Amino acid sequence: MDNRLYIFDTTLRDGEQVPGCQLNTVEKIEVAKALELLGVDVIEAGFPVSSPGDFNSVVEISKAVTWPTICALTRAVENDIKVAAEALKYAKRGRIHTGIGTSDMHIKYKFNSNREEIIERAVAAVSYAKKFVEDVQFYAEDAGRTDNEYLARVIEAVIKAGATVVNIPDTTGYCLPEEFAAKIKYLVEHVDGIDRVTIATHCHNDLGMATANTISGIIVGARQAEVTINGIGERAGNTSLEEVVMAFKSHKELDIQTNINTQNIYRVSRMVSSLMNMPVQPNKAIVGRNAFAHSSGIHQDGVLKNRESYEIIDPKDVGIDENSILLTARSGRAALKHRLQILGIEMDKEHLDKTYEAFLKLADKKKEINDDDVLMLAGKHHLAHHRIKLDYLQVTSGVGLRSVASVGLDISGEKFEACASGNGPVDAAISAIKLIIRRTMIVKEFLIQAINRGSNDVGKVHMTVEYDGNQYYGFSANTDIVAASAEAFIDAINKFQI
Ligand code: KIV
Ligand code: ZN
């Protein structure tokens, strides 16, 4: 068996489905190009029938990248497949990814159907997709909870219909590693024609076992791993690219090779985190802020004597250069530019000047500026293009007092002011903004996070605001968390048409 593992990245499809992680087409192209440089084999660029935006992104990504196969998702529905084929017309190598639920649960409740009919629909979808492209991947949704014997019948039928890749998703993240490995092994041993196709794993992380399940599946014969950067994805996420790639790089005895240029991992991780406003948990394997930080004396001593006493991966192998992580108020524009480039951000001069100004202000308040701060500063300029901007904010609050906020907004150049009280400073600021905007807006989710540590730290605010039946996501970061909250609220408001 060939030991080359194909990396199928679905950050721009499964990852992008996460509320609040939506990217525009330009941002998706930026990520797609970074994935190409990283060396992924397949980029799942979207679900074209789901929206004109998704359709357009598949078209533009197909034009923008050269080497990876571009894949478009569909249901087992003729119109989905036709639209996906249309979106892929500029791809140098295009793949249609079609499929249907195969667990009894999906068959009964999702499709109100039966096992035989599902096989017919699966075969019809693959045969139809074959009219447009040679490379057709089939997914058996909820394969993790599908009876193995029936799953083998489905897979055999779609291979006969021309599928080139068969994807075995653990859609609900239910399987245990041994169970998932047994499923793949069963298919390897019982499906006619399986040796002519590639078996793919697509594991979700609901029980924290996505990476373990993926590795187990590959050890017994799967040769495509479906992954996302930072493990983002529906609910608890998907298998993370960096974990799978580094697991095989570290365990040479498994003799599995990928095409990933691992030194680009950190850069792409931070780019995705920044564009999607999705923080990377500090203790995240491989790319978390603490992944290579040694705090206990015993560990520090050990690492100084010989790095391998406590580290199985050299941080440089994933693109972390510890010497250049911190910038200070004494760092020049060139140092900032260099750091931005390492993080995958190119800026024109005017933009860099503005970012550098903001950098100096922040460096005055915070002694050390790290990568997360730099990314936050780079994102700041987006606010400058907003139609509605925060002009000023003044809040008084204290124990035993009701908080009061005065807010000034600039709406397309016109100035508005309001004053309101609330049960805390954030509530008062948001109430004052509502007095100016005068629409029914409900804050559904509100999350404040410190980027690093220390009371002088920058706070990131993620907010979801409901307006007119839809939910809009807002984000900001500021050393003043009340200001960050007001800015995040305004960021969300700028996303709806009022
Ligand atoms: O989790 C899943 O089953 C999926 C399929 C659409 C491949 O994302
Ligand atoms: Zn999925």
Side-chain angles (χ1 to χ4, degrees):
M1 186 179 285
D2 185 2
N3 288 347
R4 166 78 151 83
L5 173 65
Y6 293 93
I7 298 294
F8 175 115
D9 184 279
T10 185
T11 305
L12 294 174
R13 199 278 297 169
D14 222 336
E16 214 249 350
Q17 271 169 227
V18 178
C21 282
Q22 279 64 45
L23 300 180
N24 61 36
T25 302
V26 174
E27 291 166 332
K28 285 187 192 174
I29 292 172
E30 210 179 311
V31 173
K33 285 185 162 168
L35 291 171
E36 180 172 36
L37 274 178
L38 183 62
V40 309
D41 299 287
V42 187
I43 296 175
E44 189 161 50
F47 181 12
V49 86
S50 67
S51 71
D54 248 43
F55 180 90
N56 198 33
S57 299
V58 176
V59 171
E60 296 305 325
I61 291 171
S62 299
K63 291 181 191 164
V65 307
T66 309
W67 300 111
T69 294
I70 303 301
C71 183
L73 185 78
T74 81
R75 293 165 298 183
V77 170
E78 283 201 356
N79 188 49
D80 284 27
I81 296 169
K82 199 153 53 127
V83 172
E86 175 70 17
L88 287 170
K89 75 174 172 221
Y90 295 102
K92 286 99 202 155
R93 278 169 281 274
R95 177 184 295 178
I96 291 177
H97 187 191
T98 189
I100 196 161
T102 53
S103 65
D104 287 336
M105 186 91 81
H106 277 223
I107 293 174
K108 184 164 173 208
Y109 296 108
K110 191 166 163 185
F111 300 110
N112 187 21
S113 183
N114 58 60
R115 286 181 168 193
E116 298 315 310
E117 200 178 276
I118 291 294
I119 295 186
E120 279 167 28
R121 287 169 69 172
V123 166
V126 171
S127 311
Y128 188 65
K130 281 299 254 197
K131 292 188 199 298
F132 301 98
V133 288
E134 170 49 32
D135 194 3
V136 174
Q137 172 168 331
F138 174 79
Y139 66 86
E141 195 177 12
D142 205 14
R145 292 187 300 171
T146 301
D147 157 52
N148 288 350
E149 227 172 284
Y150 174 64
L151 183 62
R153 286 183 52 214
V154 177
I155 297 301
E156 193 164 300
V158 296
I159 293 174
K160 280 208 184 89
T164 45
V165 181
V166 289
N167 179 14
I168 312 300
D170 184 19
T171 305
T172 57
Y174 169 76
C175 286
L176 299 171
E178 277 181 8
E179 189 182 2
F180 192 70
K183 191 172 285 290
I184 302 290
K185 195 155 182 276
Y186 186 89
L187 298 176
V188 170
E189 287 169 358
H190 292 87
V191 171
D192 255 6
I194 198 87
D195 49 332
R196 296 199 307 269
V197 301
T198 303
I199 304 175
T201 61
H202 177 112
C203 299
H204 280 265
N205 203 31
D206 298 65
L207 292 174
M209 278 185 269
T211 299
N213 286 344
T214 300
I215 304 277
S216 303
I218 289 156
I219 288 173
V220 296
R223 284 294 177 268
Q224 176 174 288
E226 304 207 357
V227 293
T228 60
I229 300 292
N230 301 334
I232 62 164
E234 291 271 22
R235 309 180 308 279
N238 288 61
T239 308
S240 89
L241 178 146
E242 57 277 8
E243 291 173 16
V244 172
V245 168
M246 292 315 289
F248 285 116
K249 192 173 163 103
S250 305
H251 283 269
K252 301 256 181 311
E253 76 282 6
L254 295 174
D255 194 22
I256 294 283
Q257 285 84 38
T258 71
N259 188 43
I260 297 298
N261 173 4
T262 62
Q263 293 189 348
N264 277 347
I265 284 180
Y266 181 68
R267 189 175 87 83
V268 183
S269 157
R270 286 309 186 264
M271 173 196 266
V272 167
S273 163
S274 155
L275 289 173
M276 291 190 167
N277 286 323
M278 184 61 140
V280 178
Q281 80 193 55
N283 58 330
K284 166 81 182 61
I286 319 293
V287 290
R289 182 176 80 229
N290 295 346
F292 299 100
H294 301 274
S295 49
S296 90
I298 297 175
H299 283 207
Q300 285 179 345
D301 182 54
V303 169
L304 288 174
K305 285 179 179 143
N306 180 349
R307 158 154 253 147
E308 284 172 30
S309 5
Y310 285 99
E311 269 182 16
I312 56 164
I313 297 169
D314 183 340
K316 290 199 181 68
D317 280 354
V318 292
I320 298 179
D321 178 354
E322 291 136 300
N323 298 329
S324 58
I325 283 178
L326 296 178
L327 295 170
T328 69
R330 285 189 300 281
S331 307
R333 201 177 306 250
L336 177 67
K337 187 173 177 201
H338 177 67
R339 198 69 215 143
L340 284 161
Q341 277 167 346
I342 289 174
L343 295 169
I345 301 168
E346 291 291 341
M347 282 186 179
D348 57 29
K349 188 178 169 309
E350 187 197 352
H351 194 157
L352 177 67
D353 287 348
K354 283 207 177 107
T355 307
Y356 187 62
E357 242 174 72
F359 163 79
L360 288 178
K361 280 192 194 136
L362 183 62
D364 260 355
K365 295 186 204 160
K366 260 190 106 198
K367 285 206 176 65
E368 294 173 341
I369 304 289
N370 63 21
D371 285 354
D372 288 319
D373 296 324
V374 171
L375 287 165
M376 180 275 293
L377 290 169
K380 266 287 203 205
H381 71 281
H382 292 309
L383 302 178
H385 304 298
H386 278 166
R387 195 168 74 84
I388 305 171
K389 293 187 200 116
L390 182 65
D391 223 6
Y392 68 84
L393 168 70
Q394 190 184 38
V395 186
T396 45
S397 67
V399 179
L401 290 176
R402 195 161 162 76
S403 302
V404 178
S406 312
V407 167
L409 294 187
D410 176 322
I411 306 182
S412 307
E414 231 185 299
K415 306 284 183 190
F416 297 84
E417 294 179 319
C419 187
S421 66
N423 66 6
V426 173
D427 188 41
I430 284 180
S431 300
I433 295 168
K434 283 181 174 171
L435 284 179
I436 301 174
I437 303 292
R438 295 196 173 281
R439 294 286 190 284
T440 310
M441 302 171 284
I442 305 164
V443 174
K444 299 297 277 189
E445 251 187 279
F446 174 39
L447 173 73
I448 305 187
Q449 257 184 336
I451 295 183
N452 292 302
R453 55 200 99 166
S455 55
N456 66 350
D457 199 1
V458 172
K460 282 186 173 185
V461 174
H462 302 262
M463 200 178 273
T464 309
V465 178
E466 190 175 276
Y467 169 66
D468 204 15
N470 294 314
Q471 303 218 339
Y472 298 88
Y473 174 80
F475 171 80
S476 186
N478 200 311
T479 46
D480 177 333
I481 55 172
V482 182
S485 307
E487 286 169 355
F489 187 59
I490 292 167
D491 185 35
I493 298 174
N494 273 286
K495 292 179 184 157
F496 38 92
Q497 303 293 322
I498 50 172

